[in-house]
Amino acid sequence: MKYRNTILSKKENEEIINALINEKNLNIQFTLSKDEILRVKKLDKPSHQLGYALQLMYLKNKNINIIEYINIIPEKIVKFLSEQLNCTTKNLNEYWEIKNTKTRYFQEILENFDYIKFEYTPNLEREFYRIAFSNGNPLIMVKEVLKLLKDKRVVAPSLSIIEHLLWIELEKSENKIYQNIVNQIKEFPKLYSLLNVETTGASTYSRLKNISVNSNSTGAKELLKAIKELDEFGVSLNLSFLSDNKLKYLALEIQKSDKFRIDKFFNENKKYSYLALFLYFKRKEFVDMVIEVTSTYAHTILKRSRKKSRIYTLQNQENLRLNFLKLKEVVKKVINLEGVDELKKLQNLLVPLSEELEAQEEELEEIDFLLKSGQSFNYTNELLECIEFNSNTKPEFINYLKDFPNLKYKKKIELDTSIFSPQWQKNIKKLDSNKKIVELALLYSIKDYIRSGDIFVRESKKYNSFDHYLVEAENLADMEEGKKFIESLKLLLNIPEQLNFATDILVDEKSIFSDKIYSYFPKISMTEILYDVNSWTGVLEYIKENNNSSEKQKALVATLMSNGHNIGFSKMSISSSIDESTLRRTSEYYFNNEALSKAQKNLVNYHHSLDIVKNWGNGENSSSDGMRVPINSKTIYADYNAHYGNKGGGIYRHVSDQYTPFYVQMLEGRDSNHVLDGLLYHESELQIYGHSTDTAGYTEQMFALTYLLGFNFKPRIKNLEQQQLYAFENVEIDNRKFKKINEKIILENYNEILRMIESIKCGKVKASLILNKINSYNRDNGVAKGLKEIGRVLKTKYILEYFSDGNLRKEVQQMLNKGESINSVARLMFFGKNGRLNESFIESQLEKASCLNIMLSSLIVWNSRYLEKIYSIVKNEEWFNEEEFKRVSPLGTQHVNFLGKYVFEDIKIETKDGLREIEIKV
């Protein structure tokens, strides 16, 4: 029976079915034991033997009744089992057609192997409800149900039944969630006013959703004003009853929603819940933005003040030097004085010198220039009213933050300065506790203490307490386990008797072979490539399900190219004759990061399945690198880079050894914060183990984290010969001293380190978020110190291997070259607006980067397919070289037209004035 109520997309359905019936791990999952062969061989007919064996092995290993999927059983599995049974595969269809026989045998298998037929008992209903309540992703829900049934040895029913039952429980769980949220709402009319249209023509909801600011005091004030406006709606939600996964799902739903979508909800509880959730998530976002703006602004002003202080000090020193020389000359003359007349002459010299010395400015420090900067920080009271700070280590500072707004009319503030750093204590004393200097000390201390983890904000996504992001504290490891771990590290470290710092890298010689191969490629446009790749992979279905209409598909491709080429919807509308509003609507409804990630994963998996990719690698190694892009918009998600001379951000891309760009994100902070995200969250079929970065992606902590998470970190480190080496004992080789590892620090923090690793593994916290916190903590943080000590062992091991192994050096270089080559092609594709991003929000920036990544992957897939085709044509030619062909990359672009096609046609304008008609839009 086929149920109408489904929760999976067509592609997700195919993915689940493929996972249930595929031939992966053939030798492990489909090898019959001797007892099983004897049992099967008792049956008379070969077709019965083979059919029985298929039912048995699919039940044992996949927990399904294969009768549901008999038309798509892989031939490879049938053949593999027939060879073990030494029987023919003929007449197998006859076995499936005899209902009583296959049903009787399956019942026998159930009884013999202690399996239970599926029955939707109250106990299973509760489990289905739990899964639906705690998850938002339908694919994950179905996988959890299948795992649950397998663990309970309950035969999984058809996928349509699982979907239908989950749909029912999902409806119940969502109604329960909405009711719980609605019960916390006090003023429904006030909340509904979010959807009111303002004089600008946009709704209040839309205005608040799209607020963007610059990193200055004005930006901070705008955000604080917005937070106060959110608070006026009187909604304060407690969502502790929801799982982290459900909260992530709801946050994504709110991100995708607009006024029109919410207004159309038939379920009133759902409508009000979405509005309340919008306020809940938006407030967290604004709080994070205020902290980021204040931190960035304060850092910028302090940096400028330091620069002015340095310039002033240098100028002052030069003036003092010149006056010293003048004084030196005068002293000489005083010593040699012989009469009153000469004294009078000398006085004439001393008067201007005295005036110069009097005019010499007093010594000025950074704080003096900070006060003179003219930059305003006069929003401290509003900041403390809107954001509640907490601390486990600095309660006195928190108490003072609570009292400060009461002191707003005082010009001089007497306080215990011990709550501040020694430098700020000195500054406050110097300026006699002036309120302005105390206020500056307060803001800068908030910035520093947030960064170090000493204070936190509960109503924040990024700046909550470190403990908030971790799984519950448990005794994950005792002292003995910690000692065993250290012993295992000692075994990894083999220190040679002599150090040989070899850095040479053998590079394959360049040849014209690749150009010759690409000369066979047909000339093609990017549009045609996207259509071709979609016909092979169905990639567009992940962006818009069931998009069979050619017009819908046309809008999808045009929108994808608008973003990927960065030309915008207006220019694409002119080029494609698709109405601009259609492109914008398509982008708004279908182009979200979840859909784009699924599309990217589809392309990665398809490319990985091609035979030719083995020429470049096995899909077990990868690299990551950032691509700088200027950002020309009002946003806090950009910084000024002196090297590039512009304000911008970075697209951070992970690339496999098969040239596949399998993960992309926008940089927030340094590159190393984002290395683990691509390795952990790509969800493709690539089995990444080794990973390389340049120096920007390297830290000692990254060596520790990759090792503990099961990866092999192989970075290219600048000035590698000068890196400090470490050992567990005091060692000196060739006048090179190895520093001793502090085992005590590792032991003291081993349990908390494992807790953090477990939190990353189970998805409690995203790796980049926790790494951003770890990398910003001060030196006294135990987890950061413990990771650094572990990383120093692994870094030393790697450096010694890198110097001694030429193949490793070559491998790292080649892997990074692949990433840099893809960045080059990406810049070629991302040509619109001179490569500048105009998006203010990081989600919108990521959508552009994801579209670019999909286009890159489509080019690579298309080129790979045609490389296979050309190989079959030219492999027997005299000039052909097999080894050189293996080095031909799928990144060729000389045959591709990334620009539009120009139509040269003389059209006669037949209007009276000889001008084209103007369409007046009402």
Side-chain angles (χ1 to χ4, degrees):
M1 180 179 178
K2 184 74 174 175
Y3 290 89
R4 290 179 61 191
N5 297 325
T6 61
I7 61 173
L8 295 176
S9 69
K10 179 182 173 184
K11 285 292 181 182
E12 288 171 336
N13 189 286
E14 290 172 1
E15 182 180 329
I16 291 287
I17 291 174
N18 181 58
L20 290 174
I21 59 101
N22 67 40
E23 65 269 23
K24 281 189 176 180
N25 301 317
L26 184 67
N27 293 326
I28 297 172
Q29 294 190 339
F30 290 92
T31 298
L32 294 158
S33 67
K34 290 182 180 179
D35 288 343
E36 287 166 348
I37 290 175
L38 288 173
R39 182 187 295 274
V40 173
K41 282 301 222 176
K42 289 179 181 178
L43 302 177
D44 295 332
K45 295 182 179 179
S47 61
H48 286 205
Q49 293 175 7
L50 190 52
Y52 186 100
L54 283 164
Q55 286 180 292
L56 170 61
M57 299 313 283
Y58 269 106
L59 179 64
K60 272 183 61 179
N61 296 296
K62 307 288 188 176
N63 198 52
I64 60 171
N65 184 352
I66 194 58
I67 294 172
E68 298 279 348
Y69 310 98
I70 53 175
N71 294 325
I72 52 174
I73 300 173
E75 187 61 36
K76 207 170 184 180
I77 293 175
V78 176
K79 187 178 178 183
F80 185 70
L81 286 173
S82 68
E83 288 172 353
Q84 293 177 68
L85 295 169
N86 194 25
C87 69
T88 180
T89 60
K90 290 180 180 179
N91 303 322
L92 179 59
N93 288 337
E94 291 180 8
Y95 175 79
W96 301 126
E97 290 168 3
I98 307 171
K99 183 178 179 181
N100 291 338
T101 302
K102 64 187 178 189
T103 304
R104 187 176 76 252
Y105 285 155
F106 190 67
Q107 184 61 42
E108 180 185 313
I109 293 168
L110 293 178
E111 292 170 0
N112 289 335
F113 293 92
D114 196 25
Y115 280 86
I116 307 167
K117 277 187 176 180
F118 178 81
E119 184 180 345
Y120 202 46
T121 62
N123 182 42
L124 274 182
E125 185 178 352
R126 283 192 293 273
E127 291 289 349
F128 273 54
Y129 178 84
R130 176 188 61 78
I131 290 170
F133 191 89
S134 59
N135 285 285
N137 187 316
L139 191 62
I140 292 175
M141 288 185 213
V142 172
K143 287 180 178 179
E144 279 203 30
V145 164
L146 290 170
K147 184 179 183 302
L148 168 75
L149 296 175
K150 189 172 184 180
D151 291 342
K152 290 181 175 292
R153 299 180 75 80
V154 175
V155 183
S158 68
L159 203 52
S160 60
I161 291 176
I162 291 175
E163 284 191 83
H164 176 72
L165 294 174
L166 274 174
W167 181 86
I168 293 171
E169 301 308 326
L170 196 57
E171 283 279 297
K172 289 195 292 189
S173 67
E174 288 188 348
N175 286 333
K176 176 79 173 176
I177 291 168
Y178 300 148
Q179 188 61 57
N180 198 320
I181 292 173
V182 165
N183 289 341
Q184 300 180 58
I185 298 171
K186 296 175 183 176
E187 297 184 53
F188 289 91
K190 178 70 175 174
L191 182 59
Y192 191 75
S193 69
L194 269 171
L195 301 180
N196 290 347
V197 177
E198 299 177 341
T199 54
T200 58
S203 65
T204 304
Y205 182 100
S206 179
R207 173 175 57 80
L208 289 169
K209 183 178 181 181
N210 295 305
I211 285 178
S212 60
V213 300
N214 286 323
S215 294
N216 52 32
S217 61
T218 304
K221 289 175 185 176
E222 286 180 33
L223 290 168
L224 291 168
K225 183 182 176 183
I227 290 174
K228 287 181 179 179
E229 185 178 353
L230 295 180
D231 291 343
E232 287 172 4
F233 287 92
V235 177
S236 179
L237 296 182
N238 178 1
L239 301 181
S240 58
F241 66 96
L242 293 174
S243 68
D244 291 334
N245 285 335
K246 201 70 173 185
L247 280 171
K248 288 175 186 175
Y249 164 74
L250 289 170
L252 181 64
E253 281 294 298
I254 298 303
Q255 182 188 321
K256 292 191 293 185
S257 299
D258 57 17
K259 162 194 159 49
F260 303 103
R261 182 189 181 201
I262 294 173
D263 214 10
K264 288 178 182 176
F265 287 156
F266 178 76
N267 184 332
E268 288 294 308
N269 281 355
K270 183 176 182 179
K271 183 181 294 185
Y272 284 112
S273 293
Y274 266 56
L275 292 173
L277 286 168
F278 169 76
L279 296 176
Y280 175 84
F281 290 120
K282 206 65 189 174
R283 194 184 198 285
K284 282 181 177 287
E285 182 184 331
F286 285 161
V287 166
D288 286 349
M289 288 173 73
V290 169
I291 294 171
E292 286 167 20
V293 166
T294 299
S295 180
T296 304
Y297 180 52
H299 175 73
T300 302
I301 301 306
L302 189 60
K303 191 176 177 182
R304 288 176 188 166
S305 300
R306 283 175 179 164
K307 184 178 179 180
K308 288 179 181 178
S309 176
R310 283 196 299 269
I311 293 170
Y312 166 81
T313 301
L314 289 172
Q315 289 174 344
N316 217 23
Q317 286 174 349
E318 179 62 16
N319 290 336
L320 284 170
R321 188 183 71 82
L322 293 173
N323 287 332
F324 171 75
L325 292 173
K326 290 178 184 178
L327 190 60
K328 189 176 176 183
E329 289 298 317
V330 170
V331 170
K332 282 182 182 179
K333 290 179 180 180
V334 168
I335 293 171
N336 298 319
L337 276 177
E338 293 182 355
V340 177
D341 292 337
E342 289 189 14
L343 178 60
K344 288 181 179 180
K345 289 180 183 178
L346 191 58
Q347 282 178 334
N348 293 332
L349 289 173
L350 284 172
V351 169
L353 179 59
S354 174
E355 290 174 353
E356 266 191 59
L357 290 171
E358 285 293 328
Q360 188 83 38
E361 290 189 38
E362 61 180 272
E363 189 69 28
L364 295 179
E365 298 175 338
E366 287 175 12
I367 188 61
D368 299 296
F369 286 99
L370 188 62
L371 290 169
K372 286 182 174 183
S373 67
Q375 300 295 335
S376 172
F377 286 92
N378 59 345
Y379 58 85
T380 311
N381 290 331
E382 289 86 350
L383 178 74
L384 296 176
E385 285 171 17
C386 292
I387 301 176
E388 182 180 351
F389 295 94
N390 291 275
S391 176
N392 297 323
T393 57
K394 295 195 176 293
E396 299 86 0
F397 184 74
I398 297 300
N399 289 334
Y400 185 68
L401 290 181
K402 291 177 181 176
D403 292 340
F404 186 80
N406 300 324
L407 308 173
K408 58 184 175 182
Y409 297 114
K410 293 191 175 184
K411 292 183 179 179
K412 184 177 177 181
I413 299 175
E414 297 292 340
L415 76 161
D416 178 8
T417 59
S418 64
I419 62 173
F420 299 117
S421 68
Q423 183 59 52
W424 281 111
Q425 290 179 35
K426 178 184 171 185
N427 293 336
I428 292 169
K429 185 178 180 181
K430 176 182 177 181
L431 295 163
D432 196 23
S433 298
N434 176 279
K435 189 195 173 191
K436 186 171 182 180
I437 191 63
V438 173
E439 190 168 13
L440 284 175
L442 202 67
L443 279 170
Y444 276 92
S445 297
I446 288 173
K447 174 184 83 76
D448 292 338
Y449 291 156
I450 278 272
R451 185 175 181 273
S452 66
D454 286 311
I455 66 174
F456 57 88
V457 181
R458 296 195 193 281
E459 292 186 337
S460 165
K461 182 180 177 182
K462 296 180 181 178
Y463 301 105
N464 211 319
S465 67
F466 185 71
D467 205 59
H468 168 80
Y469 301 102
L470 304 184
V471 293
E472 291 296 324
E474 295 177 1
N475 292 323
L476 296 174
D478 56 23
M479 189 64 74
E480 289 304 312
E481 287 184 65
K483 289 178 180 177
K484 287 179 182 177
F485 174 74
I486 290 176
E487 290 303 314
S488 69
L489 287 179
K490 289 179 180 179
L491 293 174
L492 292 175
L493 200 55
N494 296 315
I495 299 174
E497 294 181 0
Q498 288 185 322
L499 297 178
N500 177 24
F501 291 119
T503 57
D504 58 297
I505 299 172
L506 292 174
V507 181
D508 294 326
E509 292 183 10
K510 291 184 178 180
S511 70
I512 60 171
F513 186 84
S514 178
D515 293 336
K516 187 170 180 64
I517 291 294
Y518 271 103
S519 69
Y520 284 81
F521 274 54
K523 305 299 180 186
I524 193 166
S525 69
M526 193 66 222
T527 312
E528 293 168 315
I529 284 177
L530 290 173
Y531 274 108
D532 283 359
V533 171
N534 181 59
S535 70
W536 305 332
T537 66
V539 63
L540 295 178
E541 292 181 35
Y542 288 91
I543 302 174
K544 169 65 173 72
E545 182 63 18
N546 300 322
N547 59 336
N548 298 322
S549 162
S550 61
E551 284 304 309
K552 286 182 181 179
Q553 197 173 79
K554 184 178 178 181
L556 285 171
V557 174
T559 305
L560 179 64
M561 292 181 68
S562 298
N563 288 326
H565 283 322
N566 199 34
I567 61 176
F569 301 127
S570 176
K571 291 286 191 294
M572 178 55 77
S573 176
I574 296 168
S575 302
S576 64
S577 300
I578 301 174
D579 191 73
E580 184 179 342
S581 62
T582 301
L583 296 174
R584 292 190 182 280
R585 191 164 56 248
T586 301
S587 178
E588 185 176 344
Y589 285 138
Y590 306 126
F591 280 69
N592 59 74
N593 288 315
E594 184 182 34
L596 294 171
S597 294
K598 288 179 181 178
Q600 179 61 39
K601 183 178 75 170
N602 167 256
L603 292 173
V604 172
N605 291 342
Y606 179 83
H607 189 250
H608 182 58
S609 71
L610 300 177
D611 289 335
I612 195 168
V613 299
K614 297 180 182 67
N615 287 351
W616 309 308
N618 56 14
E620 293 180 359
N621 289 290
S622 63
S623 68
S624 55
D625 192 18
M627 184 178 95
R628 179 81 180 180
V629 286
I631 296 178
N632 191 31
S633 63
K634 186 179 180 182
T635 179
I636 65 172
Y637 301 110
D639 58 5
Y640 183 80
N641 188 296
H643 176 74
Y644 292 96
N646 61 27
K647 181 183 174 184
I651 297 174
Y652 198 68
R653 186 178 290 108
H654 282 65
V655 177
S656 79
D657 55 11
Q658 297 173 341
Y659 286 97
T660 323
F662 62 88
Y663 194 80
V664 69
Q665 56 201 312
M666 295 302 298
L667 280 174
E668 291 183 82
R670 61 177 296 173
D671 290 20
S672 60
N673 292 345
H674 300 269
V675 170
L676 287 175
D677 284 1
L679 301 178
L680 293 169
Y681 311 130
H682 62 87
E683 296 182 347
S684 73
E685 292 176 4
L686 297 172
Q687 300 294 319
I688 303 295
Y689 171 63
H691 187 73
S692 298
T693 69
D694 59 14
T695 302
Y698 141 79
T699 62
E700 289 174 337
Q701 291 165 345
M702 186 53 61
F703 271 103
L705 288 163
T706 47
Y707 175 75
L708 292 168
L709 288 164
F711 301 103
N712 184 19
F713 191 43
K714 300 178 286 187
R716 180 181 63 196
I717 306 173
K718 189 178 180 181
N719 300 325
L720 195 64
E721 302 92 333
Q722 300 170 23
Q723 287 287 319
Q724 177 64 55
L725 300 176
Y726 295 84
F728 286 94
E729 297 174 353
N730 290 320
V731 176
E732 184 173 347
I733 302 174
D734 301 336
N735 297 321
R736 185 73 177 264
K737 289 184 178 180
F738 287 59
K739 277 192 177 179
K740 191 174 181 181
I741 291 294
N742 191 329
E743 297 181 37
K744 184 181 176 184
I745 288 177
I746 298 175
L747 278 175
E748 287 174 350
N749 298 286
Y750 185 60
N751 201 61
E752 283 300 292
I753 289 171
L754 288 189
R755 187 180 169 209
M756 190 183 99
I757 294 297
E758 185 59 32
S759 302
I760 293 173
K761 279 183 177 178
C762 74
K764 170 75 174 173
V765 63
K766 192 173 181 180
S768 54
L769 193 157
I770 201 72
L771 274 176
N772 188 44
K773 297 184 78 66
I774 282 286
N775 288 333
S776 65
Y777 281 169
N778 59 34
R779 294 179 181 178
D780 295 329
N781 180 268
V783 174
K785 287 167 68 178
L787 284 170
K788 187 167 280 191
E789 288 299 310
I790 295 169
R792 284 170 171 172
V793 178
L794 299 163
K795 182 186 80 168
T796 301
K797 171 183 177 291
Y798 171 72
I799 289 175
L800 295 175
E801 289 175 351
Y802 185 89
F803 284 134
S804 63
D805 189 346
N807 289 330
L808 175 60
R809 296 195 294 272
K810 182 178 179 180
E811 178 191 328
V812 171
Q813 187 64 45
Q814 285 180 334
M815 199 60 251
L816 289 170
N817 286 347
K818 289 179 181 179
E820 289 166 4
S821 298
I822 285 183
N823 278 349
S824 297
V825 177
R827 290 189 187 95
L828 186 65
M829 279 191 182
F830 202 66
F831 57 79
K833 300 167 189 160
N834 295 320
R836 294 192 311 270
L837 279 171
N838 288 342
E839 284 65 32
S840 298
F841 299 100
I842 204 143
E843 292 83 6
S844 303
Q845 294 171 9
L846 181 56
E847 284 171 18
K848 279 271 182 88
S850 297
C851 288
L852 173 60
N853 228 39
I854 287 171
M855 289 175 63
L856 279 168
S857 297
S858 298
L859 172 69
I860 290 166
V861 166
W862 195 91
N863 281 351
S864 298
R865 285 290 307 270
Y866 276 85
L867 281 171
E868 287 183 331
K869 183 178 179 66
I870 288 165
Y871 173 78
S872 66
I873 296 170
V874 303
K875 63 181 179 181
N876 295 321
E877 297 287 334
E878 289 185 11
W879 58 267
F880 184 79
N881 184 301
E882 190 80 32
E883 289 305 311
E884 284 202 58
F885 182 78
K886 288 179 180 179
R887 293 199 293 270
V888 176
S889 88
L891 294 175
T893 57
Q894 56 265 47
H895 58 293
V896 184
N897 174 29
F898 293 119
L899 303 174
K901 289 185 178 179
Y902 300 99
V903 178
F904 296 95
E905 187 177 347
D906 185 12
I907 300 174
K908 186 177 181 181
I909 308 299
E910 296 182 348
T911 57
K912 288 182 179 179
D913 58 5
L915 300 177
R916 295 175 187 270
E917 293 284 359
I918 296 176
E919 182 183 352
I920 307 296
K921 293 187 177 181
V922 181

